Amino acid sequence: MSAHSSIPVVTVSSRGATRLKNGHLWVYRSDLAKTDGVPPGVLVHVQDERGRKLGSALYSSSSQIAIRLLTSKLISEAQLLPLLRERIDRAVAFRRQLLRNSDSYRMVFSEADLLPGLILDKYNDVLSMQVQTQAFDRQDIRQTVVEAVAEHFPDCSLFDRVDAHIRQLEQLPPRESQLVLGDTSKSIFTLNGVRFHCDGLGGQKTGAFLDQRENYAAAARYAHGEALDCFTYQGGFALHLARVCHKLTAIDSSRPALEVAELNEQLNRHAHTCGEIEWVEANAFDLLKDYSTSGQQYDTIVLDPPAFAKTKKAVGTALRGYKELNLRALKMLRPGGVLVTCSCSFHVSEGGFLEMLGSAAADVGQRVRMLEKRGAAIDHPVLWGVPETAYLKCVICQVIE
Ligand code: SAH
């Protein structure tokens, strides 16, 4: 016990304890007894109201997510860094074993790799780290992460990707995104043979939604004819579809994103079988409305909007937004046409999303069959008990009559 004597002990309510027993790693501040004097970002031991020990966690003094459980063992401060290092090593080994033919993937996915608060992404020879908690912002913990990256990827650079909003929530001082290892944050990376620009620190931030990697390939299996990619960002789906579709329109409301998309298109021009992609800067809601009223038709439509429901309360409004988009898209599909439709709102459940799709199909009076029900790529595993890790839904369906 003496080795642990300096480690603060926090007491969780029975609701908090049940949450942990059911496999979640988070306990909200409202489920903690007083934590006066517990410093930000420290290792704490967790106990229930009867004093039964539930494990060791990382503490945040400001976030609503007050503790993130690391292990159900009671560890000492001296065991913390070796444990984190071991988990990074395991995360790296898992991806290396699984993703032999991809140069880009999520190396560490926070909770799902039992490193709650850390994200590491690999874009070919450039890695980015995102620190999401007070604990992972600690100098010694950052150092552990950087050393692990330097050892596993000696030829890669690493940059620190700062999310100002998260730093505010965690009451951490502002910090600039910067290079930590190597001399460039620029690279060209490949997803399923399609090439993309990456520049984590440049004027135009470039990167990718790595969670969609396998969905891009799946979409390209069914896509054909004339295609429309709504919310294209830097062209993720569009550039994959360009290999199989003869005509493509890609929409986004962000001009800078479309500028990068065009650069990405140039990178892949040699591999294209179709003509040029038409990149359209517009509000996808307005444009879909215009296109559908004017009787425009497509063979393939992709919908990958940003998270509409940021909170539980917003779910109703979000589902109405999804329904509007999906309804218009289904209406515009020719028989045999394929809809690839996604939601990255954790608060919208898979069940709720499928129900919305069913009701949209019924409203337009079409026979629609589901071809695939998908989630995020395998480098973003779902941790049982932590539903937040299962945020992405991607459904591929087909209008058959
Ligand atoms: N499909 C992309 C990721 C989409 S992210 C990929 O696979 O890489 C969501 C995108 O929606 C962002 O690029 C954002 O600029 C865009 N966006 C947000 N609101 C929009 C709107 N109302 N109309 C069109 N684009 C919008």
Side-chain angles (χ1 to χ4, degrees):
M1 207 50 214
S2 60
H4 298 325
S5 56
S6 61
I7 296 182
V9 176
V10 299
T11 305
V12 300
S13 68
S14 60
R15 193 169 61 171
T18 304
R19 212 175 148 76
L20 294 178
K21 280 182 194 138
N22 288 339
H24 213 301
L25 303 183
W26 302 349
V27 176
Y28 292 102
R29 188 159 307 281
S30 53
D31 288 324
L32 284 194
K34 269 206 205 85
T35 50
D36 296 353
V38 180
V42 295
L43 179 71
V44 294
H45 286 165
V46 186
Q47 64 177 19
D48 67 12
E49 282 164 340
R50 293 194 194 160
R52 275 185 301 222
K53 298 289 185 277
L54 302 174
S56 308
L58 297 171
Y59 178 72
S60 168
S61 60
S62 69
S63 166
Q64 279 314 305
I65 306 169
I67 65 167
R68 300 186 192 222
L69 196 76
L70 265 183
T71 163
S72 37
K73 299 195 182 89
L74 295 183
I75 60 163
S76 66
E77 189 65 45
Q79 291 170 299
L80 175 61
L81 298 181
L83 175 69
L84 298 179
R85 174 60 199 254
E86 188 192 317
R87 289 192 172 162
I88 296 173
D89 294 348
R90 254 197 271 158
V92 171
F94 171 70
R95 272 70 175 182
R96 281 194 162 151
Q97 179 208 340
L98 208 70
L99 295 151
R100 296 214 172 113
N101 50 15
S102 188
D103 66 14
S104 304
Y105 38 88
R106 179 149 291 183
M107 192 63 70
V108 169
F109 182 31
S110 201
E111 278 72 17
D113 285 295
L114 300 182
L115 290 160
L118 177 67
I119 291 188
L120 269 180
D121 285 332
K122 181 174 180 291
Y123 296 100
N124 191 9
D125 51 358
V126 170
L127 284 100
S128 81
M129 69 185 271
Q130 248 181 298
V131 156
Q132 301 182 317
T133 56
Q134 291 174 350
F136 275 94
D137 197 53
R138 278 166 50 167
Q139 205 39 51
D140 56 343
I141 294 186
R142 276 182 175 273
Q143 191 57 34
T144 301
V145 175
V146 172
E147 275 170 22
V149 170
E151 283 172 39
H152 285 295
F153 306 100
D155 302 325
C156 295
S157 19
L158 171 70
F159 68 94
D160 181 19
R161 177 166 159 190
V162 172
D163 183 326
H165 179 62
I166 288 180
R167 290 191 75 82
Q168 239 173 10
L169 290 179
E170 291 284 325
Q171 289 178 4
L172 291 165
R175 191 182 165 109
E176 292 290 313
S177 291
Q178 58 186 305
L179 211 54
V180 185
L181 289 171
D183 47 26
T184 177
S185 65
K186 278 192 191 169
S187 185
I188 288 173
F189 64 96
T190 307
L191 303 174
N192 312 299
V194 178
R195 299 167 81 211
F196 294 88
H197 286 283
C198 160
D199 185 2
L201 302 175
Q204 283 184 355
K205 299 266 180 305
T206 49
F209 288 89
L210 296 173
D211 51 359
Q212 293 281 28
R213 189 185 70 255
E214 294 168 4
N215 296 332
Y216 295 149
R221 277 204 289 277
Y222 305 101
H224 61 280
E226 208 174 321
L228 178 68
D229 177 16
C230 301
F231 311 94
T232 190
Y233 181 56
Q234 296 175 355
F237 279 99
L239 293 165
H240 281 80
L241 300 195
R243 299 165 141 195
V244 287
C245 295
H246 68 257
K247 197 171 166 218
L248 245 146
T249 307
I251 307 172
D252 203 280
S253 57
S254 156
R255 167 97 322 245
L258 291 175
E259 281 165 7
V260 178
E262 287 190 55
L263 294 176
N264 287 338
E265 184 189 10
Q266 285 162 25
L267 267 185
N268 293 283
R269 190 149 278 162
H270 62 284
H272 278 183
T273 53
C274 76
E276 284 197 7
I277 305 172
E278 190 189 354
W279 304 101
V280 181
E281 182 186 345
N283 180 326
F285 282 90
D286 298 342
L287 211 70
L288 277 179
K289 197 169 163 189
D290 293 350
Y291 283 3
S292 69
T293 334
S294 66
Q296 192 89 2
Q297 295 231 288
Y298 293 93
D299 302 294
T300 305
I301 298 181
V302 178
L303 299 174
D304 183 20
F308 290 152
K310 295 248 158 67
T311 61
K312 226 181 192 163
K313 271 197 211 143
V315 170
T317 322
L319 281 171
R320 281 192 292 281
Y322 284 119
K323 185 163 175 189
E324 181 185 332
L325 286 175
N326 283 278
L327 200 125
R328 292 200 194 286
L330 285 171
K331 250 190 205 162
M332 284 197 286
L333 282 170
R334 300 192 176 102
V338 171
L339 173 65
V340 179
T341 179
C342 311
S343 163
C344 57
S345 300
F346 151 68
H347 297 285
V348 171
S349 67
E350 184 183 279
F353 190 62
L354 291 174
E355 203 177 300
M356 173 282 298
L357 272 175
S359 122
D363 285 6
V364 291
Q366 279 163 326
R367 288 275 162 215
V368 180
R369 63 181 179 187
M370 183 154 79
L371 302 177
E372 290 197 34
K373 190 173 70 183
R374 312 178 53 88
I378 190 60
D379 40 325
H380 299 64
V382 171
L383 180 64
W384 228 249
V386 184
E388 288 81 356
T389 54
Y391 61 100
L392 186 64
K393 280 80 57 189
C394 172
V395 174
I396 306 182
C397 45
Q398 185 178 36
V399 173
I400 47 176
E401 244 176 44

